[in-house]
Amino acid sequence: AHQMHLSGDWIVPRVAGEPWLEDPPFYHWLALAFGKAFGSLLGFHNAVRIASGMAMLAALWFLYLAARHSAVATDATDPVDGGAIRAERRGAGAAALLLLLGSTGLIVHAHEAVPDIATLAAECAALCLLFLGRSNPVRAGLAFGAALGVAFLSTGLVVPLALGAAALLAHAVCDEWRTAKAPRFLIAAATAFALVAVSWPIALALRAPEL
């Protein structure tokens, strides 16, 4: 982020002036944006770290919403009670959020300036959008694919491939999801993912084909 700040080059990540392609640059773009916005107030090195805090807040919020949307009534014989359903969904969201907060591996890394935090936020957003696909398949599919694209631009292919494969499998084997709307969701998601994911590799190829 500091090298981008000095050079003005957002396409080729660098460390000490040397190209550094260990991870794609989305997290560094986010950190640079905070560095430019708040660097004069907090110091550049402190301002860029706000990116991790904002990404963690986004991850927690989207995971809370994902769990709320995925929650179903535990006893189908009970009469419909809107208040009880809302309370159950809030409980599911809070439980998911607390489980993530209590993850041992997250305690240290959530405080670090690492691209994985941006991937976590994108993954939680994708999980949330996955459960909205049944009501608005095209819009939710586009947003789901874009979230997977952001995950790719943060740390590479592992997370978007895993979550994308899980979504595809769920639509193939789950009767509730295997509907006439499913192809629209999946096609929209694949299109959005491809457009977002290839944006930086294409820019990098045009800027520095040797890399």
Side-chain angles (χ1 to χ4, degrees), residues 62-110:
F62 281 121
L63 184 63
Y64 172 80
L65 293 178
R68 284 195 62 166
H69 288 304
S70 67
V72 295
T74 55
D75 188 349
T77 62
D78 286 344
V80 176
D81 183 342
I85 292 174
R86 287 192 295 272
E88 183 174 344
R89 289 180 172 175
R90 285 195 298 270
L97 187 152
L98 290 172
L99 283 170
L100 178 60
L101 283 175
S103 300
T104 303
L106 184 68
I107 293 173
V108 173
H109 297 302

Side-chain angles (χ1 to χ4, degrees), residues 106-121:
L106 184 68
I107 293 173
V108 173
H109 297 302
H111 296 81
E112 296 177 337
V114 291
D116 307 80
I117 303 298
T119 298
L120 178 64

Side-chain angles (χ1 to χ4, degrees), residues 17-39:
E18 296 298 320
W20 190 83
L21 301 178
E22 183 73 18
D23 292 303
F26 179 83
Y27 176 83
H28 306 107
W29 293 340
L30 186 63
L32 178 59
F34 281 105
K36 286 184 174 294
F38 301 107

Side-chain angles (χ1 to χ4, degrees), residues 119-145:
T119 298
L120 178 64
E123 183 178 17
C124 290
L127 284 172
C128 176
L129 293 159
L130 186 58
F131 291 105
L132 301 179
R134 286 168 286 179
S135 58
N136 198 326
V138 174
R139 185 180 299 177
L142 290 172
F144 176 80

